[in-house]
Amino acid sequence: SMQYLLNDSRFDTMKSIEQTAMMDLLRRTDMINYQRTNNSSGAQQAFTLAMAKSQYISSQKTGSSMASWNLPLVRSTAEAILLGIFPLVILGALMGGAMAFKSLMFYMGGLLWLQLWGPVASVVNLVMAVHSRRLMSAEAAMSATGNVTAGTSYEIMQAAVDAQSAAGAAFWLIPVIAGAVAFG
């Protein structure tokens, strides 16, 4: 089985699912028994579990990729709009009145909100790196020897996927956190 995995590793989705199912068969004794006893429903269950795991991992990667691609575009667009309306804001502020001061303060808050995205992203990155490091070391320490083996690799991979999922979700919260800081 390991020779099959090493010699025939292709990048298409079906082969990836088959290889994940094969690794699950190697790791879990109940799945090995399904294979040995020719239990087709048990083998189908193992294959379904591998498919669900593969879909979960790809959906987490997609969410993180969407955040890393779209948020800089949103920030650039918002910054272009705010900088573009600067002459109108100054003209309105020169007209005077209490509303002019409030609108000028709201405009300055919007500029502060955009400038806080970078520092907030750095803090979120630090928090997620510390969280991931702690999660991964806890999963690696769960094995009896403290080493990564075929039996513990699934748990470590799952911890990595969960950490990536949390980081992707936290990255989507950067505008919200920056807005909370800028506008109180």
Side-chain angles (χ1 to χ4, degrees), residues 102-122:
K102 285 185 179 182
S103 66
L104 187 62
M105 292 307 294
F106 185 75
Y107 179 76
M108 292 300 179
L111 290 176
L112 177 65
W113 171 66
L114 283 174
Q115 295 308 312
L116 285 175
W117 282 33
V120 169
S122 297

Side-chain angles (χ1 to χ4, degrees), residues 5-113:
L5 289 174
L6 294 175
N7 286 341
D8 193 18
S9 57
R10 296 187 313 175
F11 292 105
D12 62 332
T13 306
M14 193 62 185
K15 189 58 69 178
S16 173
I17 291 170
E18 288 174 359
Q19 289 175 354
T20 304
M22 185 62 73
M23 287 303 293
D24 284 346
L25 285 171
L26 292 173
R27 260 193 301 278
R28 295 181 49 194
T29 56
D30 59 335
M31 290 185 188
I32 290 173
N33 289 335
Y34 297 150
Q35 184 185 26
R36 287 181 184 159
T37 60
N38 205 13
N39 182 348
S40 60
S41 65
Q44 181 64 34
Q45 181 182 7
F47 190 73
T48 305
L49 177 67
M51 287 176 55
K53 188 188 327 173
S54 177
Q55 182 178 1
Y56 174 73
I57 290 169
S58 66
S59 68
Q60 298 309 324
K61 287 181 182 179
T62 302
S64 299
S65 294
M66 285 175 55
S68 67
W69 175 259
N70 290 324
L71 281 179
L73 295 176
V74 170
R75 184 187 185 281
S76 297
T77 304
E79 189 171 19
I81 290 170
L82 279 176
L83 293 176
I85 65 170
F86 178 73
L88 297 175
V89 172
I90 293 301
L91 185 63
L94 291 176
M95 297 293 185
M99 287 303 292
F101 181 72
K102 285 185 179 182
S103 66
L104 187 62
M105 292 307 294
F106 185 75
Y107 179 76
M108 292 300 179
L111 290 176
L112 177 65
W113 171 66

Side-chain angles (χ1 to χ4, degrees), residues 119-148:
V120 169
S122 297
V123 170
V124 167
N125 184 41
L126 175 68
V127 168
M128 294 314 301
V130 168
H131 169 69
S132 299
R133 190 177 310 124
R134 184 181 43 198
L135 191 64
M136 297 298 283
S137 65
E139 290 297 333
M142 282 178 49
S143 69
T145 61
N147 297 326
V148 177

